[in-house]
Amino acid sequence: MCQPPCHFVSNEICMMMSVPRWMLLICSLVVVVTYSSQESLQRYLANRQAVVQKESSHRTGGSLKLNSKELRVNQYLMTVKAKEYAAALQGAPFPPAQHFFKSKNLIEKSEVFQLIQLLPKGAALHLHDISITSLNWVIKNATYKADLYFCVSTDAAGSLQFEFFSVPPTVKESSCAVLWQSVSLARNKQGAAVFDEWLFNKMSMWTDDDPKKVYPNSTAAWQKFESSLGPVYDLVRNIGVFEPYLWQAMTEFIQDNVQYMEIRGLLPPLKTSNGTQLSRNYTMQKYATIFDKFVSAYPGNFSGAKYIFSSKRHVAEEIVKSDVSLALSLRDTYPDHFAGYDLVGREDAGYPLIHFIQELLLPSQLNRSLPYFFHAGETDWEGTSIDENLIDALLLNTSRIGHGYAITKHPVAMAMALSQDTAIEVNPISNQVLGLVDDLRNHPAATLISQGFPVVISSDDPATWNAGQLSYDFYQAFMGLAGEQADLATLKQLAQDSIRYSAMSNSEKKAAMQLWQKKWDSFLDEILSSIK
Ligand SMILES: *[C@@H]1O[C@H](CO)[C@@H](O)[C@H](O)[C@H]1NC(C)=O
Ligand SMILES: *[C@@H]1O[C@H](CO)[C@@H](O)[C@H](O)[C@H]1NC(C)=O
Ligand SMILES: *[C@@H]1O[C@H](CO)[C@@H](O)[C@H](O)[C@H]1NC(C)=O
Ligand SMILES: *[C@@H]1O[C@H](CO)[C@@H](O)[C@H](O)[C@H]1NC(C)=O
Ligand SMILES: *[C@@H]1O[C@H](CO)[C@@H](O)[C@H](O)[C@H]1NC(C)=O
Ligand SMILES: *[C@@H]1O[C@H](CO)[C@@H](O)[C@H](O)[C@H]1NC(C)=O
Ligand SMILES: *[C@@H]1O[C@H](CO)[C@@H](O)[C@H](O)[C@H]1NC(C)=O
Ligand SMILES: [Zn+2]
């Protein structure tokens, strides 16, 4: 007799033929009674094929048609992908199912990953300014500058602090456990290898031990994460470090075939060598100048960058109020480089958006435009005020949602995001390292991608967890989130969507898409000539 799947299949076909709902029952009965067993099997298989095809057309990239060159590259891609899936099904470790600190080496050996490194990935839209330049550069370059001092904090994590002094203070700073010490003296005393490794351990979440033991829960992971960011912040706000640091970040991203970036940050007031603090307006001016300078230096590789100013979400309302006003004024002064505003920091530990609703409504009350790029729903805790950040972000017309990890639990928020065409910024490795999900196949964005829901893939704070720039996250998305059948069309769509959902103006997007297309064409040729 007819089993439920059989009903479903014939109903599905009826729906595809736009038969009214009231006829569905009749339709399934007809299928059951009118076919002989041979015919019914054929019919079943055809129906099944139609459903499978329809499902795969929903996936991100599912409606893209690949041209003949793309099809040949795709054939290679899908062969190596199938090999990696087959090995995993035989019991080999599957990188997306492992903690990134355990899988990084495996990923680097993957042929899929090597192809993704070469792939023009478009834009990285969810990044934080103090965690986008490799720590190797930060340690080997910035911490080798003269007049740098350090201390270990009195906080629970024993965080590292840096400061530049021509003459160091002789009294202990209240936040420090000891007096400021000279970095170069300590390095000479301990040996550069030992000292620099100690710095790396202080400035990174990386561990060679079992990451689940070192970070048994999200709170432990966040504590180390925030403690790792402090010393980089101290270095980057030095005016002598700021520009080379940012330049190095963009250089590393173009080497990873990323052509455009949107960078969030607190607009740290820069410090001169004599300790004078400059204005945040000056910091923004430096960002704008350096972004443009970089585009001029690499016109064939880079479309530009924009800045998203962010306040910490545990601050007082007055601070958010003055930051929103500053954001409005910076948006006027730097319309091409200042994209908008966000609130950052661990959502589970800060204030929800609704706490700042008066301040966040200010621009619309003043009839002025301030694009928002809110982090929202970066939590496992359904039903909490944090979880509801998704709803406030959408009601405040956020341009995109940072993480949106909880969105699949909110049908109305999902519908709003779809109708407002608001993309979710998915950062797979970040969510894993910060303890939201262990096996990336269970990440909610797998559902989003299967439905072609607008998403962009980014890397959040890749330097802090030693995850390169964007390719590792793209690999995790392609292998872990999108499933075995996702192919080159999915990768192409993700790259194009990163430009489409950026804060670029229409004319900037058009130019960026042209540059991307050029890079895409040479990528196809490069792959085709290497697999001949
Ligand atoms: C740091 O990097 C800058 C810019 O790339 C370079 O000019 C400088 O020589 C480097 N300094 C050190 C100490 O490596
Ligand atoms: C998280 O892990 C730490 C150990 O690092 C432990 O002290 C703490 O109680 C745990 N917190 C929660 C909420 O489980
Ligand atoms: C920059 O683009 C040129 C071609 O336009 C390419 O040969 C070169 O490898 C690119 N450099 C980087 C760092 O991507
Ligand atoms: C510090 O340096 C800046 C220029 O970098 C200068 O304008 C300022 O006067 C100096 N301040 C002091 C206290 O020396
Ligand atoms: C920032 O500086 C520019 C000129 O350098 C000025 O026009 C603008 O009003 C300043 N904005 C703020 C918020 O201070
Ligand atoms: C709001 O600003 C727009 C232009 O940005 C203007 O067309 C509109 O009339 C303004 N509305 C009010 C109520 O001031
Ligand atoms: C969001 O956009 C809608 C539609 O354009 C508008 O009616 C509403 O006032 C906006 N909300 C805010 C807070 O700006
Ligand atoms: Zn973030």
Side-chain angles (χ1 to χ4, degrees), residues 19 56 86 95 116 131 138 155 159 172 249 255 276 283 312 337 356 363 383 399 417 503 511:
V19 171
S56 102
I116 284 176
S131 40
V138 172
D155 66 10
S159 310
K172 192 175 76 61
Q255 281 165 353
T276 306
T283 309
K312 290 196 169 172
H337 302 95
F356 298 112
S399 300

Side-chain angles (χ1 to χ4, degrees), residues 213-221 223 381:
K213 288 223 174 78
V214 179
Y215 306 117
N217 55 48
S218 211
T219 306
Q223 186 188 52
W381 293 101

Side-chain angles (χ1 to χ4, degrees), residues 137 140-142 144-145 244 247-248:
W137 185 91
K140 294 298 175 200
N141 191 303
Y144 274 74
K145 288 184 105 53
W247 193 270
Q248 177 69 17

Side-chain angles (χ1 to χ4, degrees), residues 246-506:
L246 181 59
W247 193 270
Q248 177 69 17
M250 294 186 285
T251 305
E252 291 178 5
F253 273 79
I254 61 169
Q255 281 165 353
D256 195 33
N257 290 301
V258 174
Q259 70 178 75
Y260 172 84
M261 298 159 80
E262 285 180 11
I263 303 174
R264 286 166 163 93
L266 306 173
L267 274 180
L270 300 183
K271 278 189 181 175
T272 66
S273 51
N274 63 20
T276 306
Q277 277 203 33
L278 303 171
S279 70
R280 291 162 126 188
N281 189 15
Y282 181 78
T283 309
M284 189 55 225
Q285 191 190 315
K286 287 296 280 180
Y287 269 113
T289 312
I290 300 167
F291 290 161
D292 284 347
K293 217 164 117 184
F294 195 81
V295 173
S296 306
Y298 296 97
N301 303 69
F302 203 58
S303 303
K306 292 190 198 293
Y307 199 75
I308 298 169
F309 174 37
S310 329
S311 309
K312 290 196 169 172
R313 60 185 339 125
H314 62 252
V315 300
E317 289 106 286
E318 303 82 70
I319 294 190
V320 170
K321 187 173 176 187
S322 70
D323 283 356
V324 165
S325 312
L326 176 62
L328 280 168
S329 119
L330 294 175
R331 176 100 178 127
D332 287 343
T333 312
Y334 309 97
D336 300 332
H337 302 95
F338 187 91
Y341 183 72
D342 184 17
L343 286 159
V344 298
R346 187 177 183 201
E347 278 185 81
D348 287 322
Y351 292 116
L353 292 174
I354 188 69
H355 180 81
F356 298 112
I357 195 62
Q358 303 275 21
E359 292 73 29
L360 297 174
L361 282 173
L362 270 178
S364 77
Q365 284 160 359
L366 297 168
N367 191 29
R368 292 179 63 187
S369 144
L370 178 63
Y372 289 137
F373 297 85
F374 291 125
H375 279 73
E378 187 184 4
T379 186
D380 274 331
W381 293 101
E382 183 181 359
T384 58
S385 59
I386 306 315
D387 189 52
E388 289 180 359
N389 275 343
L390 283 166
I391 290 161
D392 294 298
L394 286 159
L395 285 172
L396 289 163
N397 296 330
T398 194
S399 300
R400 295 188 304 264
I401 295 175
H403 296 291
Y405 185 86
I407 199 160
T408 55
K409 298 169 186 167
H410 294 275
V412 179
M414 270 180 92
M416 285 167 79
L418 264 187
S419 77
Q420 293 170 207
D421 201 22
T422 306
I424 311 287
E425 302 164 345
V426 177
N427 306 285
I429 297 174
S430 167
N431 297 150
Q432 188 189 53
V433 169
L434 293 176
L436 289 180
V437 58
D438 290 334
D439 181 335
L440 289 172
R441 292 172 297 176
N442 297 329
H443 191 292
T447 305
L448 301 178
I449 290 174
S450 76
Q451 300 175 5
F453 196 94
V455 299
V456 294
I457 305 300
S458 199
S459 49
D460 209 7
D461 303 273
T464 312
W465 33 82
N466 209 7
Q469 295 75 37
L470 186 56
S471 288
Y472 291 94
D473 280 280
F474 241 71
Y475 171 88
Q476 303 280 28
F478 184 59
M479 295 294 280
L481 306 182
E484 184 170 6
Q485 306 300 327
D487 63 5
L488 188 66
T490 298
L491 292 173
K492 184 179 181 184
Q493 183 84 56
L494 286 172
Q496 291 184 336
D497 282 353
S498 70
I499 293 171
R500 181 171 305 130
Y501 290 107
S502 74
M504 283 187 272
S505 68
N506 285 337

Side-chain angles (χ1 to χ4, degrees), residues 17 23 52 70 113 116 118 143 169 180 222 266 280 288 326 340 342 405 411-412 433 462 530:
M17 297 186 309
M23 283 183 68
V52 169
E70 289 168 339
F113 176 69
I116 284 176
L118 298 174
T143 75
W180 290 106
W222 268 89
L266 306 173
R280 291 162 126 188
L326 176 62
D342 184 17
Y405 185 86
V412 179
V433 169
S530 75

